[in-house]
Structure formats: structure tokens, C-alpha cells
Amino acid sequence: MKLIHRTILFAGCSAMALGAAATSAAAQTAEGAADAGNEIVVTANKREQNLSEVGSSVSAVSGEALKLQQISSVADLAKITPGLTFAPTPNATPVYTIRGVGFYDSSLASYPDVAVYLDQFPLALPVMSSQTGFDLQRVEVLKGPQGTLFGNNATGGAINFVANAPTKDMSGGANLSYGRFNAVDFNAYVSGPLSDTLRARLAVKKAYADPWQKSYTRDDRNGKTDVMAGRFILEFEPSSDFKASINLNGWRDQSEPQAPQKIAYVPQNDVSGTPAGAPAGSGPVPYPQATYPNSPLNARSADWTAGQYSPSQDNRFKQALGRFDYTFGSITLTSLTGYSDMKFQNTTEGGGTALVDLDLRSDGGKIKSFTQELRLANDPKSQLRWVLGANYENTKVDETTWLAYKDTSSTYVNGIVTSTYVTHQKMKNYAAFGNLEYDVMDNLTLKAGIRRTQAKRRATAFNGDLAEFPIPASDTTFGGTPGVSLTNFFNAVYDSLQELYGGAGYNIPTIAPGGSIILDTRGLVLGDPASNDPVNPDTFLTADIVRTNIKENSTSWMLGWDFKPVDGLLLYSNVSKGYKAGSFPHLSGAIFDAYAPVKQESILAYEAGFKAQLMGNAISINGAAFYYDYKNKQTRAKFVDPIFGALDKLLNVPKSRIKGAEIEVSGRPVEGLTISASATYLDAKVKRYVGAVDSVLVSGIRVPVNASFAGVDLPFSPEWQYSIRADYQFPVSSSVDAFFGVGANGQSKSVSALVVPGSTTFGADSDLYKIKAYTLVNGNIGVKSADGTWTASVWGKNIFNKYYWSNATQAYDTFVRYTGRPAEYGVSLGFNF
């Protein structure tokens, strides 16, 4: 019956497209979509096509529109692209979600659901993409599973940054912007031929701004911007049959990570008794977190730990990309070889207070990634067009985190103040793929694609005390005594619990200095020693836990058709299956189960849509409707640690479903005026999942209280997202044009995690997880030369200073929000030659 239901739904969607009357969604072209001479060209099918001829949902924003609207990151892009959302995390790693499909995890090694590319080269992990958005020709956002052409980790979609290429003629330019918070943004480039066969382009960026956040308990500031980036592209084209290019790019980010706002107190332990480390009978001690004030509800207010461990970062990224295309006859061989190297180092605020409450004193990592793609493609003008290829990826990630929490209820009852956890992960992916398009008739094209992937992952994890991260003298317990080391604490805990784990007379081995505290309980049943499987005591505790490789195979595929009943109208329907590989976490846990990986997730997607060019291409209307059958969604959620209660873990949500529609309209009603509007509707819900919502003490250990999450909303999936903009340009003299533009974008309410409405999850009311609906207004006004050699403008972002937030999460004893930036405004000057 389910298959019949989905078949009927898919047929209904196709009928909507055939009627060309659907209210659905599709490709947003921020500028030029309605002008036949300026239509954006995209590479969604790994070849250049006009956007209106691509039979799938693609949003594309031109380089000029990016500059005009001050868009320099995916966070900015999400504000003008319905269906795409951005969320920051406590580790300062970004999370991208398209149409409700995203993977919320802050680990450096976590593959996203939304793959990110620079000129078709993968940026394997989200943190690599944070400073890529400069000197761009356009950005493409591909919606829905992209597994057949873009790989097994693109269940949500793909974002492709397309850099400006070297020019055949000498050119150059610069743009300088100055705005609120003394923000200075400088971009410049020079491009041109070095010889008849060799061209080059050099682009640089420097951005600096004063802190924008203000402490609400003291005179302090946070949130400065300090970024520099560069890109050098060399193109060699000795003949019409051969072309090669080298892209060397990199950046350094020494900005201060955002501090979250504390909005609620949600204690995880009872602090009414005598604290750990206090003399017996001394009684309770005032717990400062209980009386710490919540943040004022405005964008700039926040709090953070001051001094040596205040928010900071020093992230460095460098990348080398090599591409060659060789055409023999009607066949083109393309090779894409990429190598990326990143060093990540930051200190972030966790609990949103000046106290030490789940703060990352040091989160450091190294990423090295090598990718190789080879593909063959025939003439794109042929009746039968095909692409055959293979991919290889080898990525290594090391991450070490020093976590401090001396002012939490955990220290109050346990006495420990800090811990260190380490992971080493290695990922290898192998794939072969093919794609076919066949013109059955001049106006009917059948499409099919397939990719076979093998994903291998290996990880080691450590949690304990490391000599390079000693307990500072200032880290004392609430009793005033020096903090207890993790090693000593767990030796005492395991001594008291060993009979629960191993039965009468069993001794858990003592943790040696520098050893891991992680308890391997596989095969054991707490409280029932008689039923335990035999366990080798030597495997109870290990300095490193080395996991067996995850080895997962998957077959992504796509079937569809494109139909052009009349000139200017494209109807399409697609059904596709996509996969995202399994993943290991990076976190602090006491038991082996906390480090268990999630298995691969999959999406079966149905989509039908249309693209219409009307009134001589003066008006463009694009729409689509879609339905996703989502299995084993990967997420980071709370589980119950037997010692500490609610901690994070990677989990699979067995079954979810997403249905929705998108629509985009743009046009030029009069000379010089461009108007565009777009909207996305989503209904994204869990169908089957049982998870922990609280814990209770049983025989001295915490056990979970579970609940069904059936029917709850998927995170970061607002029911509505929308964007509207108008731009007008007109001459004021024979040599000078004036222009102005105004736009609004926003979303309805959403949630930041899986929560049961009206319930309490580990002390946090479900309403705390809500992301409130908001609308932001942006604008610009200026003048420029008629020949485009210079531009001067005034601009504003979030003009009405709307208070909004993009993430809300529990940070042990506090609940915090990550706010959007306040109103910003400035002036920009640019010139070209």
C-alpha cells in the first residue's frame, strides 16, 4: 500500500508539472534570469547549461548579485535561498540543511548532508568552506539527492562555488567596503594573458571588524573579524583539444567565535547537598549558575569566560587543485585532482556565562584530504549524451579537545573539573558512476544515472587526562579543594561499580596515568552478571579504542524525463535514491556505547517541476513539488551516560518523511527594473524513533527514560522560507547610472533539535528549542559609471535590527541561543579596468 500511495503521489506531481499550474519551487536566479542574453549558466550536470534547461531544482546567484547584496559566506547565502538553512555549532563548525536534510554534528570529521564544491572539486568537510566565498562568478545550490554525479554524501544537495576564471584580456579591479563596527572589507584581482596559451588570475581578500558582541555583566567585547584569503588560477590552453588549469587557494581566519546567549537554567544534577571536596557535614554551598542572570534579548548581548580562555581561533586552510580536459574526436577526458590541508584551532564559549561551564579551552585539529576524479563525456550536443567516471577520496582528521566545566553541577557532585578527548579518523571512498540523457524526440529527453560507492572509515578515540592539558591551579571544586583528575575520579567510580559490571568478585583494572577512562561494556548486562557474555578484563579499559572499519556499500540512482511542449516551457519529473556514509563522533563519553558510529542514511526522492520563460523571456516562473522517504537520518542527540546523565551521541532516526513545494518568479516589467520572489514550503517529520528524554537513578547509575518522537518536526526545517527583491537602475547622465535595491527574506518558526512538543527533555522545556519566525530587510543605493569602471554605494543588512537566532541548544546546565547579527550598514567603492 505504501508503494501504491507513493506512486500515486509521484504521478500526481507529474500531472502538476504537465499542467504547468503547480505552485512549487525551483531555481532562484538572483539576477538576470528573465533576460535571455544574461541567463545564468550552471554546471549542475557537470557540463555548462542554461539554468532554464536543467530538469532539476537549482538555485543560482550571480557574482554581481553576491557583491550587490554583501554575500560572502554560506551563512549569508542561506538568507536569500529558500530551502537552505545555516546553523552554527558550539565548536564553530557550520551545519548546512537543504529541504530539511542536514546532519547536525560539530565534529571536524563529520561529512555533511549538503556537499560543498569549489569548481567541482569537493571541500570534503563543512569547516573547509567558511571562507571560500570571494571573487566568484556564481554560486549554485543543487537541491535534492545528488549522489549520481556528486557523490554519496549529498543526500540533501550540493553547493558549488564557481570562481572567476582568468580572462583573455588584461583586466583588474578592487572593492573597498567600510561599515558598522569599523568593518573593513577589501577585495582585489588582476587577470589576463601571460602568453598566447597561458592565462592567470590573482584574487585577494582582507576583512577586519571590531567585536560586535557586548558582555551584559562587565565591560568586555567579543566577535571581532580578522580574515585574509587568496586565490591564484593558472590556465594553459595550447590547442582547442586540450586545456589545463591549476588553482591554488587558501585562507586564514583569526576571528573570535560567537558566544551564545544564556536564556535558561536547566540543572543536570542536584546541588542541594554537600559539594564534592567539601569537609563532611559542611553543608551545601551557593551554586552560582542558579542565580546567574539570563541574557537580555537583543542581538549583541552575551557572556563568556574572560581572560586566557576567551573565544579565539586560528584556522588555516590551503588547497591545490589541478584539472585537465583533453578532447579526442567527440570524447572529452576530464581529470580533477585535489589536495586540501587545514589546521584548526579555537577556544569557544559553551554555556553562555562568564563561568567555566562546558567551555572548550582548546579545540584543535588537522585535516588532510586527497581527491581524484576521472570522467569521460561525449559531445553535449549529441542525441545520446553520456558521462562515465570514477572517484577516489582519502581524508584524515585528527581532533583534540580540552573541555573545562568547573562551574557546572557535575563538578558540584563529582569534583572533576576538566577532561580531554581525542579522535583520529581515516575515511576512504571509492566510486564509479554513469549518467545518460537521450533525446527520444526534439522535445522529450529521458535521463538515468547510477553510482556505486564503497565507503570505509576507521577511528580511534581517547578520553582521559593528558600531560599537555593539566588542571589549572584556579580550577577548584565548590569545596575549595583542587579539582579531581578524571583518572582518579573514574578509578573510584569503577571500584564502587565493578560488581554491577562484572559480577561478584570482579575487579575492573585500575586506570594507569595517561590511560583512557572509557569503559568497554560490550557483552555485559548491568545488574544481571549471570547473563553476561565472557569478557576479557584486558579489554575493559584501553588507552585507545580502535574500531573495526566501517565498510558500507551503496548504489545511488536517478531516473527522469524532461519535456518541452512549447518553446519556453520545460516540464520534468525525477525519482532518485541517495546515500550518506556512516560516521564516528568526537565527544566526551565514559562508556564504549557513546562512541558507536551511526550507519549510512538514505533518501528516496520524488520530484516534479516546471520552468517557464514568458513574454519573450521577460518573465521566468519555476516550480517543483517533492516527496522524500528518509531512512536512518543521522543526528547528534542526547543519550544517558550511566555516570553523567545527558550527554551527546550520534544516533539514527529510523524513518522520516519530507514533502514540500517551491516556487520562484522573476521578471523585468520595465527597462532597468528587476523583481524576483521565491518561497519554499516544507512538511518534514519523524515517522518512527524512540529516544531518551530524561534519566533516573537505579543502583547508583543513571538509566534512560525513553519516549516516542513520532510526528515531531525535523530540525532546521521551517514550514515556510521566502525571499523577495527589487532592483532598479536608471541613467542620470550620459556617463553615470543610479541604482537602488531592496529585499526581504525570512522563515516561519522551526526547531533546532528533535523534541516532543509540550514536553521537557532533560530539564529543558520544548519551547526553548524553538527558532522564532523572522523577516530581514536589506537594501542598497548608489551610482556607477555607465561603462562599469567604477561604483559607489551605501548598503544595509538587517536594516530594522531584527532580533533572531539560528540555533538553540542545551549546554549542560544552561540553555543557549546563537543569535543573528544586528543591523549593519556601510559604504562601498569599487573600480575595474
Side-chain angles (χ1 to χ4, degrees), residues 234 258 699:
L234 195 64
Q258 180 180 354
S699 301

Side-chain angles (χ1 to χ4, degrees), residues 454-470:
Q454 183 180 88
K456 295 181 178 180
R457 262 188 113 126
R458 184 175 62 184
T460 63
F462 170 89
N463 188 11
D465 298 311
L466 292 177
E468 59 264 41
F469 299 110

Side-chain angles (χ1 to χ4, degrees), residues 297-322:
L297 300 183
N298 65 70
R300 298 188 64 185
S301 294
D303 230 340
W304 56 91
T305 303
Q308 181 181 0
Y309 302 116
S310 62
S312 66
Q313 70 180 4
D314 188 1
N315 300 337
R316 309 179 190 191
F317 176 75
K318 55 188 177 182
Q319 187 179 48
L321 309 173

